[in-house]
Amino acid sequence: MSSAIPDQSVPETDTVLVVDFGAQYAQLIARRVREARVYSEIVPSSMPVAEMLAKNPKAIILSGGPSSVYEEGAPQLDRAIFEAGVPVFGMCYGFQLMAKTLGGTVDNSGAREYGRTPLTVSRTGSTLFEGVPAQHSVWMSHGDACSAAPEGFTVTASTDVVPVAAFENDEARLYGVQYHPEVLHSDHGQQVLEHFLYRGAGIAPTWTTGNVVDEQVALIRAQVGTKRAICGLSGGVDSAVAAALVNKAIGSQLTCVYVDHGLMRKGETEQVEKDFVAATGVQLKVVDAQERFLNALAGVSDPEEKRKIIGREFIRVFEQAQAEIVAEAGEHGESVEFLVQGTLYPDVVESGGGTGTANIKSHHNVGGLPEDLQFELVEPLRKLFKDEVRMVGQELGLPEEIVQRQPFPGPGLGIRIVGEVTKERLDLLREADAIAREELTAAGLDREIWQCPVVLLADVRSVGVQGDGRTYGHPIVLRPVSSEDAMTADWSRLPYEVLAKISTRITNEVKDVNRVVLDCTSKPPGTIEWE
């Protein structure tokens, strides 16, 4: 057994806080900051300023939001945030709130602007607009407008109807724009954001996947010490990268546990047992728990209840594995006190833990954990988006087959069956899913879509005609989506011939399925998974 000494020298990371005022783009702002190689975190506008400053941010960005700054109950911000010496960049609502709080004039003059809008830069050599064309288009979405900048600010841009579309105060290091530089529809938006980060806030672009690996290895060693950890390995990207990262930190102190719960896709159990172990050399313990999970899910149709049952049973299986691993280690072996999870930042945000907003769904790693959890959690990917996780996996040397695998939910096919989960329904869905994956791969589309959930509407039957006879079978739903990070998504426009081939094969080859339908809903309003 390893006798690794905890490494307490955890490297510090320059952090930019994104204050969320209810914006649909708050997560996108955080992503754009990270694309500039600067680390960012989202915090709710309800967080006291003292708590924000206690995080020692190198800069603060105020997001947009749906409210009017004069509306009763609209989010506000203590003036102290602008007087703390921390560079601040306001966007849209955040820009107007900065103007109003510091004595500028914001009013509802009817100067509404929505969509692409021509912007005129009056100070092309300013901190934000150095090297940016004097005339370019930006994305506006506002009703109120700033008609007078606060004292000490220089107006640096305007539009045909808004006299103050951007202002800057280099002495106080306070900046703001009326538009949304984070969206792709704003020309030179990323350049303006980077000018704030590099020039206005003086932050160096040093946050890389290499930094993430070094930082997490140090944190994991400090947290785990000489104790042992187990990791739930599903074969997906998240758990694979989390396991590889922890394995790099503590080596033989980690045992990966693969729970064969019967909810995986066709061939995945074999892939985990062979490919991942070969790539990383981790210790792997396989637990056959198919019967246990099916018994626990019997008669349950509610999606939230299914998620929680699956999360609970996972933990119980881990506790069983823990006892077995400890027994195998002998009486002088270190205890197993830590559970490694591949929780990502979107999991935290959508479970209500990122911005203080509503809980969209319970995630098996976040909302589905039992209250009497016997482990301390190790979550090295908790602050990362999916594309960043893939980059960390590449940094760790994981093979492309694992790193580029399409996302698959921890609860597996259990949440891709709308209705009760049974062995017969799982077998049916496994075959339909395998056909869809085979055809997408054959068409070379694996890297062009984010993922393609295949859903069985188990409680729905429709009339069909097969073999000159009437059938009464289940519909299968194809849900191909394109996304950067799963926070937003659009349905993928797959070639008709590919869709036709998938549909024909499923209805011909999968028993009790007589209809294949396409889900062409974006996120929002829908989520990627159906349950």
Side-chain angles (χ1 to χ4, degrees):
M1 178 177 297
S2 170
S3 57
I5 299 174
D7 183 354
Q8 302 294 340
S9 58
V10 179
E12 291 188 3
T13 300
D14 288 345
T15 299
V16 171
L17 295 184
V18 177
V19 181
D20 183 8
F21 289 98
Q24 60 177 319
Y25 297 133
Q27 289 79 27
L28 183 56
I29 296 171
R31 280 187 48 78
R32 296 294 182 239
V33 173
R34 294 184 185 198
E35 287 172 8
R37 297 174 60 196
V38 176
Y39 178 69
S40 63
E41 287 184 10
I42 302 170
V43 297
S45 60
S46 58
M47 176 182 284
V49 168
E51 288 186 28
M52 294 182 194
L53 297 178
K55 290 177 172 288
N56 192 31
K58 296 300 181 184
I60 295 172
I61 295 176
L62 310 180
S63 83
S67 303
S68 163
V69 290
Y70 292 111
E71 186 179 300
E72 185 176 350
Q76 300 296 317
L77 205 57
D78 193 321
R79 183 187 178 100
I81 199 168
F82 303 115
E83 299 172 341
V86 178
V88 182
F89 186 23
M91 301 177 178
C92 196
Y93 181 86
F95 165 74
Q96 294 177 1
L97 189 58
M98 180 188 295
K100 174 178 175 289
T101 303
L102 296 177
T105 303
V106 178
D107 46 39
N108 192 335
S109 61
R112 299 173 179 270
E113 291 176 312
Y114 297 97
R116 293 183 72 92
T117 304
L119 183 78
T120 299
V121 178
S122 53
R123 297 293 182 95
T124 53
S126 72
T127 297
L128 295 183
F129 295 110
E130 173 76 35
V132 175
Q135 302 285 336
H136 62 276
S137 293
V138 296
W139 190 259
M140 291 284 193
S141 180
H142 68 96
D144 295 346
C146 179
S147 57
E151 185 177 350
F153 283 75
T154 299
V155 177
T156 53
S158 61
T159 70
D160 289 344
V161 295
V162 175
V164 184
F167 55 45
E168 306 180 27
N169 184 333
D170 284 319
E171 184 177 352
R173 297 200 293 176
L174 302 176
Y175 307 87
V177 296
Q178 176 60 72
Y179 60 94
H180 290 275
E182 72 276 20
V183 304
L184 293 177
H185 302 296
S186 287
D187 297 342
H188 309 286
Q190 184 69 12
Q191 186 178 358
V192 169
L193 175 59
E194 291 178 0
H195 281 343
F196 165 71
L197 296 171
Y198 305 156
R199 304 178 59 182
I203 302 173
T206 57
W207 191 71
T208 66
T209 50
N211 297 144
V212 173
V213 171
D214 292 342
E215 178 184 55
Q216 287 303 320
V217 164
L219 287 169
I220 292 163
R221 288 174 178 166
Q223 181 182 6
V224 177
T226 59
K227 299 292 194 288
R228 294 184 61 83
I230 58 176
C231 174
L233 192 63
S234 70
V237 179
D238 306 338
S239 65
V241 175
L245 195 49
V246 175
N247 188 58
K248 179 178 176 66
I250 62 174
S252 61
Q253 294 167 243
L254 172 69
T255 300
C256 288
V257 178
Y258 174 75
V259 179
D260 186 2
H261 50 23
L263 306 175
M264 299 299 286
R265 296 184 292 189
K266 189 174 181 179
E268 287 185 317
T269 296
E270 294 77 13
Q271 181 190 49
V272 169
E273 291 187 87
K274 182 183 68 175
D275 296 347
F276 185 75
V277 173
T280 62
V282 299
Q283 300 179 71
L284 179 66
K285 181 180 182 67
V286 179
V287 180
D288 185 349
Q290 296 183 56
E291 186 175 351
R292 174 177 186 152
F293 276 79
L294 284 173
N295 289 339
L297 290 166
V300 178
S301 295
D302 180 76
E304 284 295 285
E305 189 177 352
K306 283 196 287 188
R307 284 178 175 272
K308 286 174 177 162
I309 288 171
I310 293 169
R312 181 194 69 209
E313 293 304 314
F314 255 108
I315 297 301
R316 297 302 172 237
V317 172
F318 281 130
E319 289 172 343
Q320 173 188 331
Q322 175 197 33
E324 294 173 359
I325 292 168
V326 169
E328 292 166 3
E331 62 180 36
H332 299 297
E334 292 285 359
S335 60
V336 180
E337 298 183 6
F338 298 91
L339 171 61
V340 180
Q341 292 197 143
T343 310
L344 305 192
Y345 200 35
D347 303 334
V348 177
V349 172
E350 291 198 338
S351 299
T355 64
T357 53
N359 185 332
I360 297 173
K361 63 184 178 184
S362 293
H363 188 268
H364 61 284
N365 285 354
V366 184
L369 297 175
E371 294 181 1
D372 59 343
L373 180 67
Q374 300 299 307
F375 302 103
E376 182 178 335
L377 295 179
V378 178
E379 298 176 303
L381 312 178
R382 188 180 177 89
K383 295 180 179 180
L384 302 182
F385 290 99
K386 177 74 75 172
D387 59 330
E388 295 168 336
V389 172
R390 294 190 196 280
M391 289 188 287
V392 169
Q394 291 172 331
E395 182 79 18
L396 291 168
L398 292 180
E400 285 288 297
E401 297 78 33
I402 293 176
V403 173
Q404 296 302 333
R405 184 171 181 247
Q406 291 183 5
F408 186 61
L413 298 180
I415 59 166
R416 290 185 178 175
I417 294 175
V418 179
E420 182 185 2
V421 178
T422 67
K423 184 179 185 304
E424 294 71 27
R425 290 174 172 181
L426 285 166
D427 289 342
L428 184 158
L429 180 55
R430 254 189 285 271
E431 292 303 317
D433 176 87
I435 289 170
R437 286 190 290 144
E438 286 171 12
E439 294 302 330
L440 289 172
T441 299
L445 296 172
D446 285 341
R447 298 288 290 271
E448 292 187 24
I449 63 174
W450 176 263
Q451 67 186 114
C452 183
V454 177
V455 181
L456 170 64
L457 302 185
D459 290 343
V460 177
R461 285 184 179 270
S462 64
V463 176
V465 179
Q466 291 173 302
D468 295 325
R470 180 182 184 276
T471 61
Y472 199 50
H474 297 290
I476 284 286
V477 180
L478 303 179
R479 173 69 166 141
V481 295
S482 301
S483 180
E484 287 187 333
D485 51 37
M487 297 305 301
T488 59
D490 194 12
W491 65 283
S492 301
R493 277 64 166 175
L494 299 182
Y496 289 154
E497 58 270 21
V498 176
L499 292 171
K501 194 166 186 180
I502 293 173
S503 176
T504 299
R505 283 195 59 193
I506 289 176
T507 53
N508 284 348
E509 300 174 28
V510 182
K511 184 182 177 181
D512 293 330
V513 174
N514 63 0
R515 193 179 298 269
V516 175
V517 299
L518 176 67
D519 181 348
C520 54
T521 311
S522 62
K523 175 188 178 182
T527 54
I528 293 176
E529 299 289 345
W530 272 49
E531 294 203 332

